[in-house]
Amino acid sequence: MARPNHYSPTIERFLVSVLYHEARHRNIPMTRLTNQILTAELAESVGWQLALQSLNPPNQALVASPGK
């Protein structure tokens, strides 16, 4: 069996139910609601900054090695 490339945490059943009902109430997909909630809560966090750094490493100029 293939291993997943990314960790996918299990969300508590009650919270899935809350997301389902709230998304229906707002008439938007659950994934959009989840993304909105997580972004609003985590946008200024240390984890957010670390994730940005890991996904967008600073550009490093290529250094040419001197020829012999």
Short mmCIF file of all heavy atoms in Angstrom, two decimals:
data_model
loop_
_atom_site.label_atom_id
_atom_site.label_comp_id
_atom_site.label_asym_id
_atom_site.label_seq_id
_atom_site.Cartn_x
_atom_site.Cartn_y
_atom_site.Cartn_z
N MET A 1 0.85 -1.18 0.00
CA MET A 1 0.00 0.00 0.00
C MET A 1 0.89 1.24 0.00
O MET A 1 1.87 1.33 0.72
CB MET A 1 -0.89 -0.02 1.24
CG MET A 1 -1.87 1.09 1.30
SD MET A 1 -3.06 0.76 2.62
CE MET A 1 -3.37 2.39 3.16
N ALA A 2 0.55 2.22 -0.82
CA ALA A 2 1.34 3.44 -0.92
C ALA A 2 1.19 4.29 0.34
O ALA A 2 0.12 4.39 0.91
CB ALA A 2 0.90 4.24 -2.13
N ARG A 3 2.29 4.89 0.74
CA ARG A 3 2.25 5.78 1.89
C ARG A 3 1.90 7.19 1.44
O ARG A 3 2.38 7.64 0.41
CB ARG A 3 3.62 5.78 2.58
CG ARG A 3 3.90 4.46 3.26
CD ARG A 3 5.26 4.39 3.85
NE ARG A 3 5.66 5.61 4.53
CZ ARG A 3 6.84 5.78 5.07
NH1 ARG A 3 7.74 4.85 5.02
NH2 ARG A 3 7.15 6.92 5.66
N PRO A 4 1.06 7.89 2.21
CA PRO A 4 0.72 9.26 1.82
C PRO A 4 1.94 10.18 1.93
O PRO A 4 2.84 9.94 2.73
CB PRO A 4 -0.36 9.66 2.83
CG PRO A 4 -0.18 8.74 3.98
CD PRO A 4 0.42 7.47 3.43
N ASN A 5 1.94 11.24 1.13
CA ASN A 5 3.04 12.19 1.14
C ASN A 5 2.94 13.21 2.27
O ASN A 5 3.92 13.79 2.68
CB ASN A 5 3.11 12.93 -0.19
CG ASN A 5 3.48 12.01 -1.33
OD1 ASN A 5 4.19 11.04 -1.14
ND2 ASN A 5 3.00 12.31 -2.52
N HIS A 6 1.74 13.44 2.75
CA HIS A 6 1.51 14.44 3.78
C HIS A 6 0.71 13.83 4.92
O HIS A 6 -0.13 12.98 4.71
CB HIS A 6 0.74 15.64 3.22
CG HIS A 6 1.44 16.32 2.10
ND1 HIS A 6 2.52 17.15 2.28
CD2 HIS A 6 1.23 16.28 0.76
CE1 HIS A 6 2.93 17.60 1.13
NE2 HIS A 6 2.17 17.08 0.18
N TYR A 7 0.96 14.33 6.11
CA TYR A 7 0.22 13.90 7.29
C TYR A 7 -1.19 14.49 7.24
O TYR A 7 -1.36 15.68 6.99
CB TYR A 7 0.95 14.37 8.55
CG TYR A 7 0.18 14.15 9.82
CD1 TYR A 7 -0.08 12.86 10.27
CD2 TYR A 7 -0.29 15.21 10.56
CE1 TYR A 7 -0.79 12.65 11.44
CE2 TYR A 7 -1.00 15.02 11.73
CZ TYR A 7 -1.25 13.73 12.16
OH TYR A 7 -1.95 13.53 13.31
N SER A 8 -2.19 13.68 7.44
CA SER A 8 -3.58 14.13 7.48
C SER A 8 -4.15 13.77 8.84
O SER A 8 -4.50 12.61 9.08
CB SER A 8 -4.40 13.46 6.38
OG SER A 8 -3.94 13.85 5.13
N PRO A 9 -4.25 14.75 9.73
CA PRO A 9 -4.75 14.44 11.07
C PRO A 9 -6.23 14.08 11.06
O PRO A 9 -6.99 14.55 10.22
CB PRO A 9 -4.53 15.74 11.84
CG PRO A 9 -4.52 16.79 10.79
CD PRO A 9 -3.96 16.16 9.55
N THR A 10 -6.59 13.23 11.99
CA THR A 10 -8.00 12.87 12.15
C THR A 10 -8.67 13.95 12.99
O THR A 10 -8.18 14.33 14.05
CB THR A 10 -8.13 11.51 12.86
OG1 THR A 10 -7.43 10.55 12.08
CG2 THR A 10 -9.58 11.11 13.01
N ILE A 11 -9.78 14.46 12.50
CA ILE A 11 -10.53 15.49 13.21
C ILE A 11 -11.64 14.80 14.00
O ILE A 11 -12.28 13.87 13.50
CB ILE A 11 -11.13 16.51 12.21
CG1 ILE A 11 -10.00 17.19 11.44
CG2 ILE A 11 -12.00 17.54 12.93
CD1 ILE A 11 -10.47 18.05 10.30
N GLU A 12 -11.84 15.25 15.22
CA GLU A 12 -12.87 14.66 16.09
C GLU A 12 -14.22 14.67 15.38
O GLU A 12 -14.57 15.62 14.69
CB GLU A 12 -12.98 15.43 17.39
CG GLU A 12 -11.76 15.34 18.27
CD GLU A 12 -11.88 16.22 19.50
OE1 GLU A 12 -13.02 16.58 19.90
OE2 GLU A 12 -10.83 16.54 20.08
N ARG A 13 -14.97 13.61 15.57
CA ARG A 13 -16.26 13.44 14.90
C ARG A 13 -17.21 14.61 15.19
O ARG A 13 -17.90 15.09 14.30
CB ARG A 13 -16.90 12.11 15.35
CG ARG A 13 -18.26 11.86 14.76
CD ARG A 13 -18.14 11.54 13.27
NE ARG A 13 -19.46 11.33 12.70
CZ ARG A 13 -20.01 12.11 11.78
NH1 ARG A 13 -19.35 13.13 11.30
NH2 ARG A 13 -21.21 11.86 11.31
N PHE A 14 -17.24 15.07 16.43
CA PHE A 14 -18.11 16.19 16.78
C PHE A 14 -17.74 17.44 15.98
O PHE A 14 -18.62 18.15 15.48
CB PHE A 14 -18.06 16.49 18.28
CG PHE A 14 -18.87 17.70 18.65
CD1 PHE A 14 -20.25 17.64 18.70
CD2 PHE A 14 -18.25 18.90 18.94
CE1 PHE A 14 -21.01 18.76 19.03
CE2 PHE A 14 -18.99 20.02 19.26
CZ PHE A 14 -20.38 19.95 19.31
N LEU A 15 -16.44 17.71 15.84
CA LEU A 15 -16.01 18.89 15.11
C LEU A 15 -16.34 18.78 13.62
O LEU A 15 -16.68 19.79 12.98
CB LEU A 15 -14.52 19.14 15.30
CG LEU A 15 -14.11 19.52 16.73
CD1 LEU A 15 -12.60 19.64 16.83
CD2 LEU A 15 -14.80 20.80 17.16
N VAL A 16 -16.28 17.58 13.08
CA VAL A 16 -16.69 17.38 11.69
C VAL A 16 -18.17 17.72 11.54
O VAL A 16 -18.58 18.38 10.58
CB VAL A 16 -16.39 15.94 11.21
CG1 VAL A 16 -17.00 15.68 9.84
CG2 VAL A 16 -14.90 15.68 11.20
N SER A 17 -18.95 17.31 12.52
CA SER A 17 -20.38 17.61 12.49
C SER A 17 -20.62 19.12 12.58
O SER A 17 -21.46 19.67 11.86
CB SER A 17 -21.10 16.90 13.64
OG SER A 17 -22.47 17.16 13.62
N VAL A 18 -19.88 19.79 13.45
CA VAL A 18 -20.00 21.25 13.57
C VAL A 18 -19.65 21.91 12.24
O VAL A 18 -20.38 22.79 11.76
CB VAL A 18 -19.09 21.79 14.69
CG1 VAL A 18 -19.05 23.32 14.68
CG2 VAL A 18 -19.53 21.27 16.05
N LEU A 19 -18.55 21.49 11.64
CA LEU A 19 -18.15 22.05 10.34
C LEU A 19 -19.21 21.82 9.28
O LEU A 19 -19.53 22.71 8.49
CB LEU A 19 -16.82 21.45 9.89
CG LEU A 19 -15.58 21.92 10.63
CD1 LEU A 19 -14.39 21.03 10.27
CD2 LEU A 19 -15.28 23.37 10.32
N TYR A 20 -19.76 20.61 9.26
CA TYR A 20 -20.79 20.28 8.29
C TYR A 20 -21.99 21.21 8.41
O TYR A 20 -22.44 21.81 7.43
CB TYR A 20 -21.22 18.82 8.48
CG TYR A 20 -22.41 18.46 7.64
CD1 TYR A 20 -22.27 18.17 6.29
CD2 TYR A 20 -23.68 18.40 8.21
CE1 TYR A 20 -23.38 17.84 5.51
CE2 TYR A 20 -24.80 18.07 7.44
CZ TYR A 20 -24.64 17.79 6.09
OH TYR A 20 -25.73 17.47 5.33
N HIS A 21 -22.49 21.35 9.64
CA HIS A 21 -23.69 22.17 9.85
C HIS A 21 -23.40 23.65 9.60
O HIS A 21 -24.23 24.36 9.00
CB HIS A 21 -24.27 21.96 11.24
CG HIS A 21 -24.85 20.59 11.42
ND1 HIS A 21 -25.99 20.19 10.76
CD2 HIS A 21 -24.44 19.53 12.14
CE1 HIS A 21 -26.26 18.93 11.08
NE2 HIS A 21 -25.33 18.51 11.92
N GLU A 22 -22.25 24.13 10.03
CA GLU A 22 -21.91 25.54 9.82
C GLU A 22 -21.70 25.84 8.34
O GLU A 22 -22.14 26.88 7.84
CB GLU A 22 -20.66 25.91 10.62
CG GLU A 22 -20.34 27.39 10.59
CD GLU A 22 -21.42 28.26 11.20
OE1 GLU A 22 -22.18 27.80 12.08
OE2 GLU A 22 -21.52 29.44 10.78
N ALA A 23 -21.07 24.93 7.63
CA ALA A 23 -20.87 25.12 6.18
C ALA A 23 -22.21 25.15 5.45
O ALA A 23 -22.41 25.97 4.55
CB ALA A 23 -19.97 24.03 5.62
N ARG A 24 -23.11 24.27 5.83
CA ARG A 24 -24.46 24.29 5.22
C ARG A 24 -25.17 25.60 5.54
O ARG A 24 -25.82 26.18 4.67
CB ARG A 24 -25.28 23.11 5.71
CG ARG A 24 -24.86 21.81 5.04
CD ARG A 24 -25.82 20.71 5.28
NE ARG A 24 -27.18 21.15 4.94
CZ ARG A 24 -28.19 20.36 4.70
NH1 ARG A 24 -28.02 19.06 4.75
NH2 ARG A 24 -29.38 20.83 4.43
N HIS A 25 -25.04 26.06 6.78
CA HIS A 25 -25.66 27.31 7.18
C HIS A 25 -25.13 28.48 6.34
O HIS A 25 -25.89 29.36 5.94
CB HIS A 25 -25.42 27.56 8.67
CG HIS A 25 -25.90 28.88 9.16
ND1 HIS A 25 -27.23 29.18 9.33
CD2 HIS A 25 -25.21 30.00 9.49
CE1 HIS A 25 -27.35 30.42 9.76
NE2 HIS A 25 -26.13 30.94 9.86
N ARG A 26 -23.82 28.47 6.07
CA ARG A 26 -23.19 29.55 5.30
C ARG A 26 -23.27 29.30 3.79
O ARG A 26 -22.84 30.14 3.02
CB ARG A 26 -21.73 29.70 5.70
CG ARG A 26 -21.53 30.12 7.14
CD ARG A 26 -20.07 30.30 7.44
NE ARG A 26 -19.83 30.51 8.85
CZ ARG A 26 -18.69 30.97 9.35
NH1 ARG A 26 -17.70 31.28 8.54
NH2 ARG A 26 -18.55 31.12 10.64
N ASN A 27 -23.73 28.12 3.42
CA ASN A 27 -23.86 27.74 2.02
C ASN A 27 -22.51 27.75 1.30
O ASN A 27 -22.39 28.30 0.19
CB ASN A 27 -24.88 28.61 1.30
CG ASN A 27 -25.35 27.97 0.01
OD1 ASN A 27 -25.40 26.76 -0.11
ND2 ASN A 27 -25.68 28.79 -0.97
N ILE A 28 -21.49 27.19 1.97
CA ILE A 28 -20.17 27.06 1.38
C ILE A 28 -19.66 25.65 1.64
O ILE A 28 -20.13 24.98 2.56
CB ILE A 28 -19.16 28.10 1.93
CG1 ILE A 28 -18.96 27.94 3.45
CG2 ILE A 28 -19.58 29.52 1.57
CD1 ILE A 28 -17.89 28.85 4.03
N PRO A 29 -18.68 25.18 0.87
CA PRO A 29 -18.12 23.85 1.12
C PRO A 29 -17.39 23.79 2.47
O PRO A 29 -16.83 24.79 2.94
CB PRO A 29 -17.12 23.66 -0.02
CG PRO A 29 -17.51 24.65 -1.07
CD PRO A 29 -18.13 25.80 -0.34
N MET A 30 -17.40 22.61 3.08
CA MET A 30 -16.72 22.42 4.36
C MET A 30 -15.24 22.75 4.26
O MET A 30 -14.67 23.31 5.20
CB MET A 30 -16.87 20.97 4.85
CG MET A 30 -18.22 20.64 5.41
SD MET A 30 -18.38 18.89 5.84
CE MET A 30 -17.10 18.69 7.07
N THR A 31 -14.62 22.40 3.14
CA THR A 31 -13.19 22.67 3.00
C THR A 31 -12.91 24.17 3.00
O THR A 31 -11.93 24.62 3.60
CB THR A 31 -12.61 22.03 1.73
OG1 THR A 31 -13.43 22.41 0.62
CG2 THR A 31 -12.57 20.52 1.84
N ARG A 32 -13.76 24.95 2.36
CA ARG A 32 -13.57 26.40 2.34
C ARG A 32 -13.73 26.96 3.75
O ARG A 32 -12.94 27.80 4.19
CB ARG A 32 -14.54 27.08 1.39
CG ARG A 32 -14.24 28.58 1.27
CD ARG A 32 -15.20 29.31 0.36
NE ARG A 32 -15.29 28.67 -0.94
CZ ARG A 32 -16.27 28.89 -1.81
NH1 ARG A 32 -17.25 29.72 -1.50
NH2 ARG A 32 -16.29 28.29 -2.97
N LEU A 33 -14.75 26.52 4.47
CA LEU A 33 -14.96 26.96 5.84
C LEU A 33 -13.77 26.60 6.72
O LEU A 33 -13.27 27.44 7.47
CB LEU A 33 -16.24 26.34 6.42
CG LEU A 33 -16.51 26.64 7.89
CD1 LEU A 33 -16.67 28.14 8.13
CD2 LEU A 33 -17.74 25.86 8.36
N THR A 34 -13.30 25.38 6.60
CA THR A 34 -12.15 24.93 7.39
C THR A 34 -10.93 25.78 7.09
O THR A 34 -10.22 26.23 8.00
CB THR A 34 -11.86 23.44 7.12
OG1 THR A 34 -13.04 22.69 7.43
CG2 THR A 34 -10.70 22.95 7.95
N ASN A 35 -10.66 26.04 5.81
CA ASN A 35 -9.52 26.88 5.43
C ASN A 35 -9.66 28.28 5.99
O ASN A 35 -8.68 28.87 6.47
CB ASN A 35 -9.36 26.93 3.91
CG ASN A 35 -8.81 25.64 3.35
OD1 ASN A 35 -8.16 24.87 4.04
ND2 ASN A 35 -9.07 25.41 2.09
N GLN A 36 -10.86 28.85 5.95
CA GLN A 36 -11.09 30.20 6.48
C GLN A 36 -10.82 30.25 7.98
O GLN A 36 -10.16 31.17 8.48
CB GLN A 36 -12.52 30.65 6.21
CG GLN A 36 -12.81 30.97 4.76
CD GLN A 36 -14.29 31.26 4.51
OE1 GLN A 36 -15.13 31.17 5.41
NE2 GLN A 36 -14.60 31.62 3.27
N ILE A 37 -11.32 29.25 8.70
CA ILE A 37 -11.15 29.21 10.16
C ILE A 37 -9.67 29.07 10.52
O ILE A 37 -9.15 29.80 11.37
CB ILE A 37 -11.98 28.07 10.78
CG1 ILE A 37 -13.47 28.38 10.64
CG2 ILE A 37 -11.60 27.85 12.24
CD1 ILE A 37 -14.38 27.20 10.95
N LEU A 38 -9.00 28.13 9.88
CA LEU A 38 -7.59 27.90 10.20
C LEU A 38 -6.72 29.09 9.81
O LEU A 38 -5.80 29.47 10.56
CB LEU A 38 -7.09 26.63 9.51
CG LEU A 38 -7.70 25.33 10.04
CD1 LEU A 38 -7.28 24.15 9.18
CD2 LEU A 38 -7.31 25.11 11.50
N THR A 39 -7.00 29.70 8.68
CA THR A 39 -6.23 30.87 8.25
C THR A 39 -6.42 32.03 9.22
O THR A 39 -5.44 32.68 9.63
CB THR A 39 -6.63 31.30 6.83
OG1 THR A 39 -6.34 30.22 5.93
CG2 THR A 39 -5.88 32.54 6.38
N ALA A 40 -7.65 32.29 9.61
CA ALA A 40 -7.94 33.38 10.54
C ALA A 40 -7.23 33.18 11.88
O ALA A 40 -6.73 34.13 12.48
CB ALA A 40 -9.45 33.52 10.75
N GLU A 41 -7.17 31.95 12.33
CA GLU A 41 -6.58 31.67 13.64
C GLU A 41 -5.06 31.58 13.61
O GLU A 41 -4.40 31.95 14.57
CB GLU A 41 -7.17 30.37 14.20
CG GLU A 41 -6.71 30.05 15.59
CD GLU A 41 -7.11 31.08 16.64
OE1 GLU A 41 -8.15 31.74 16.47
OE2 GLU A 41 -6.37 31.24 17.63
N LEU A 42 -4.50 31.08 12.52
CA LEU A 42 -3.07 30.77 12.51
C LEU A 42 -2.20 31.73 11.70
O LEU A 42 -0.98 31.60 11.71
CB LEU A 42 -2.87 29.34 11.97
CG LEU A 42 -3.51 28.24 12.81
CD1 LEU A 42 -3.37 26.90 12.10
CD2 LEU A 42 -2.90 28.19 14.19
N ALA A 43 -2.79 32.69 11.01
CA ALA A 43 -2.04 33.54 10.08
C ALA A 43 -0.85 34.26 10.70
O ALA A 43 0.14 34.49 10.01
CB ALA A 43 -2.97 34.55 9.41
N GLU A 44 -0.89 34.60 11.94
CA GLU A 44 0.21 35.33 12.57
C GLU A 44 1.05 34.44 13.50
O GLU A 44 1.89 34.94 14.23
CB GLU A 44 -0.33 36.52 13.38
CG GLU A 44 -1.14 37.50 12.55
CD GLU A 44 -0.31 38.16 11.45
OE1 GLU A 44 0.87 38.46 11.69
OE2 GLU A 44 -0.85 38.37 10.35
N SER A 45 0.84 33.15 13.44
CA SER A 45 1.51 32.25 14.38
C SER A 45 2.93 31.91 13.95
O SER A 45 3.33 32.09 12.80
CB SER A 45 0.70 30.95 14.52
OG SER A 45 0.81 30.20 13.32
N VAL A 46 3.68 31.39 14.88
CA VAL A 46 5.04 30.92 14.61
C VAL A 46 4.99 29.79 13.59
O VAL A 46 5.79 29.73 12.65
CB VAL A 46 5.73 30.44 15.91
CG1 VAL A 46 7.06 29.77 15.62
CG2 VAL A 46 5.92 31.62 16.86
N GLY A 47 4.03 28.89 13.74
CA GLY A 47 3.89 27.78 12.81
C GLY A 47 3.67 28.26 11.38
O GLY A 47 4.20 27.68 10.43
N TRP A 48 2.89 29.32 11.22
CA TRP A 48 2.63 29.89 9.89
C TRP A 48 3.94 30.38 9.28
O TRP A 48 4.24 30.12 8.12
CB TRP A 48 1.64 31.04 10.03
CG TRP A 48 1.14 31.59 8.72
CD1 TRP A 48 1.78 32.46 7.90
CD2 TRP A 48 -0.11 31.30 8.10
NE1 TRP A 48 1.01 32.74 6.82
CE2 TRP A 48 -0.16 32.05 6.91
CE3 TRP A 48 -1.19 30.50 8.44
CZ2 TRP A 48 -1.25 32.01 6.05
CZ3 TRP A 48 -2.28 30.47 7.58
CH2 TRP A 48 -2.30 31.21 6.41
N GLN A 49 4.73 31.11 10.08
CA GLN A 49 6.00 31.64 9.60
C GLN A 49 6.97 30.53 9.23
O GLN A 49 7.66 30.59 8.19
CB GLN A 49 6.62 32.57 10.65
CG GLN A 49 5.78 33.79 10.97
CD GLN A 49 5.43 34.62 9.74
OE1 GLN A 49 6.29 34.88 8.90
NE2 GLN A 49 4.18 35.01 9.61
N LEU A 50 7.03 29.49 10.05
CA LEU A 50 7.92 28.36 9.75
C LEU A 50 7.50 27.64 8.49
O LEU A 50 8.33 27.23 7.68
CB LEU A 50 7.97 27.40 10.94
CG LEU A 50 8.65 27.96 12.19
CD1 LEU A 50 8.45 27.01 13.37
CD2 LEU A 50 10.12 28.23 11.94
N ALA A 51 6.18 27.49 8.30
CA ALA A 51 5.69 26.83 7.10
C ALA A 51 6.02 27.66 5.86
O ALA A 51 6.41 27.11 4.83
CB ALA A 51 4.18 26.60 7.20
N LEU A 52 5.87 28.97 5.96
CA LEU A 52 6.23 29.84 4.83
C LEU A 52 7.71 29.68 4.47
O LEU A 52 8.06 29.58 3.30
CB LEU A 52 5.96 31.31 5.17
CG LEU A 52 4.52 31.79 5.08
CD1 LEU A 52 4.41 33.24 5.55
CD2 LEU A 52 3.99 31.66 3.66
N GLN A 53 8.54 29.64 5.49
CA GLN A 53 9.97 29.48 5.25
C GLN A 53 10.29 28.13 4.62
O GLN A 53 11.13 28.04 3.73
CB GLN A 53 10.76 29.63 6.55
CG GLN A 53 10.77 31.04 7.08
CD GLN A 53 11.40 31.14 8.45
OE1 GLN A 53 12.01 30.19 8.95
NE2 GLN A 53 11.23 32.28 9.09
N SER A 54 9.63 27.09 5.07
CA SER A 54 9.94 25.76 4.55
C SER A 54 9.43 25.57 3.14
O SER A 54 10.01 24.82 2.35
CB SER A 54 9.38 24.67 5.46
OG SER A 54 7.97 24.63 5.38
N LEU A 55 8.33 26.26 2.78
CA LEU A 55 7.78 26.13 1.43
C LEU A 55 8.42 27.11 0.46
O LEU A 55 8.42 26.87 -0.75
CB LEU A 55 6.27 26.34 1.46
CG LEU A 55 5.48 25.27 2.20
CD1 LEU A 55 4.01 25.64 2.25
CD2 LEU A 55 5.65 23.92 1.54
N ASN A 56 8.93 28.22 0.95
CA ASN A 56 9.55 29.24 0.11
C ASN A 56 10.92 29.60 0.64
O ASN A 56 11.12 30.68 1.19
CB ASN A 56 8.69 30.51 0.08
CG ASN A 56 7.31 30.25 -0.47
OD1 ASN A 56 7.18 29.61 -1.49
ND2 ASN A 56 6.29 30.74 0.21
N PRO A 57 11.89 28.69 0.49
CA PRO A 57 13.23 29.01 1.01
C PRO A 57 13.79 30.23 0.30
O PRO A 57 13.46 30.48 -0.86
CB PRO A 57 14.05 27.76 0.71
CG PRO A 57 13.30 27.04 -0.35
CD PRO A 57 11.85 27.43 -0.21
N PRO A 58 14.59 31.03 1.00
CA PRO A 58 15.15 32.22 0.38
C PRO A 58 15.98 31.85 -0.84
O PRO A 58 16.65 30.82 -0.86
CB PRO A 58 16.01 32.85 1.47
CG PRO A 58 16.16 31.82 2.52
CD PRO A 58 15.06 30.81 2.35
N ASN A 59 15.92 32.70 -1.85
CA ASN A 59 16.71 32.45 -3.06
C ASN A 59 18.18 32.61 -2.73
O ASN A 59 18.59 33.60 -2.14
CB ASN A 59 16.33 33.44 -4.17
CG ASN A 59 14.93 33.20 -4.68
OD1 ASN A 59 14.44 32.09 -4.62
ND2 ASN A 59 14.29 34.25 -5.16
N GLN A 60 18.93 31.62 -3.13
CA GLN A 60 20.37 31.69 -2.92
C GLN A 60 21.02 31.78 -4.29
O GLN A 60 20.71 31.00 -5.17
CB GLN A 60 20.88 30.46 -2.18
CG GLN A 60 20.34 30.36 -0.77
CD GLN A 60 20.86 29.13 -0.06
OE1 GLN A 60 21.61 28.35 -0.62
NE2 GLN A 60 20.45 28.94 1.17
N ALA A 61 21.90 32.76 -4.43
CA ALA A 61 22.59 32.91 -5.71
C ALA A 61 23.48 31.70 -5.92
O ALA A 61 24.13 31.20 -5.00
CB ALA A 61 23.41 34.19 -5.70
N LEU A 62 23.48 31.20 -7.13
CA LEU A 62 24.35 30.08 -7.45
C LEU A 62 25.79 30.58 -7.50
O LEU A 62 26.10 31.58 -8.14
CB LEU A 62 23.97 29.46 -8.80
CG LEU A 62 22.59 28.81 -8.85
CD1 LEU A 62 22.29 28.36 -10.27
CD2 LEU A 62 22.54 27.62 -7.92
N VAL A 63 26.62 29.88 -6.79
CA VAL A 63 28.03 30.26 -6.76
C VAL A 63 28.77 29.33 -7.69
O VAL A 63 28.76 28.11 -7.51
CB VAL A 63 28.60 30.16 -5.32
CG1 VAL A 63 30.07 30.50 -5.30
CG2 VAL A 63 27.80 31.05 -4.39
N ALA A 64 29.39 29.90 -8.70
CA ALA A 64 30.15 29.08 -9.66
C ALA A 64 31.49 28.72 -9.03
O ALA A 64 32.17 29.58 -8.47
CB ALA A 64 30.36 29.85 -10.95
N SER A 65 31.83 27.47 -9.11
CA SER A 65 33.14 27.08 -8.57
C SER A 65 34.20 27.42 -9.60
O SER A 65 34.00 27.29 -10.79
CB SER A 65 33.15 25.58 -8.26
OG SER A 65 32.83 24.85 -9.42
N PRO A 66 35.32 27.91 -9.11
CA PRO A 66 36.39 28.31 -10.05
C PRO A 66 36.92 27.11 -10.81
O PRO A 66 37.06 26.03 -10.23
CB PRO A 66 37.46 28.93 -9.14
CG PRO A 66 37.13 28.49 -7.75
CD PRO A 66 35.68 28.12 -7.74
N GLY A 67 37.21 27.28 -12.06
CA GLY A 67 37.73 26.20 -12.89
C GLY A 67 39.21 25.97 -12.61
O GLY A 67 39.89 26.82 -12.08
N LYS A 68 39.69 24.78 -12.95
CA LYS A 68 41.10 24.46 -12.73
C LYS A 68 41.92 24.86 -13.91
O LYS A 68 41.56 24.86 -15.00
CB LYS A 68 41.28 22.98 -12.46
CG LYS A 68 40.73 22.60 -11.12
CD LYS A 68 41.05 21.16 -10.82
CE LYS A 68 40.56 20.78 -9.45
NZ LYS A 68 40.84 19.44 -9.11
#
